[in-house]
Amino acid sequence: MILWAEDENEAAKVAQWAALRIPHVSSFGPCQAAAVERHGRTAAVVVFHDWQDVGRSLQVSIAAETPLWASRATLAGLLRYAFVRAGAEVLWSAMPSDNVRAIKFNTGIGFKREAVLRRRFGPKRHAVITSMTRQEWQRSQWGNA
């Protein structure tokens, strides 16, 4: 079940749950956040942040206690938020290059590996950037869900 933050203060509180679990994040700034509950407990938090008007781009960050949070319906709803409600033309994510699980998850749901930013997360810790465009989402299983 997706529980959307009702306002900016609640979004900041929900996003803090994710920030505490993502080593390279201290806070997200202005954002929209959703908690994904499983069996009455927070299983994951998805934070949409870093909105850029010019390119209509939106960054997404995810922290999870278990991989079981990511049902098809949940993923479809979260991607629908980014492309329909927020109006993004591109949704992107940055993760450490040694976080193989996150990279595999993102590419597995249709994000394309786009770039590597050297030393973004410190010495010898590069960032892998993945993204999905509105058109890719529309043609995917998620755009038809």
Side-chain angles (χ1 to χ4, degrees), residues 34-104:
V36 179
E37 285 197 349
R38 183 171 164 78
H39 305 300
R41 297 189 51 182
T42 300
V45 165
V46 179
V47 183
F48 295 97
H49 57 103
D50 192 24
W51 171 256
Q52 299 295 317
D53 279 329
V54 174
R56 301 194 63 78
S57 72
L58 184 61
Q59 185 175 359
V60 62
S61 296
I62 302 169
E65 294 287 317
T66 172
L68 299 176
W69 73 271
S71 72
R72 288 179 144 329
T74 298
L75 290 170
L78 293 167
L79 291 170
R80 188 177 317 107
Y81 168 82
F83 291 110
V84 175
R85 189 153 175 214
E89 288 297 324
V90 64
L91 181 64
W92 67 280
S93 186
M95 64 225 77
S97 57
D98 57 358
N99 191 340
V100 176
R101 178 179 276 171
I103 296 166
K104 186 175 180 178

Side-chain angles (χ1 to χ4, degrees), residues 21-24 62-63 94-106 113 121 125-128 130:
R21 289 160 176 79
I22 302 174
H24 58 270
I62 302 169
M95 64 225 77
S97 57
D98 57 358
N99 191 340
V100 176
R101 178 179 276 171
I103 296 166
K104 186 175 180 178
F105 174 81
N106 282 13
R113 193 171 168 147
F121 298 121
R125 288 207 75 210
H126 311 307
V128 172
T130 62

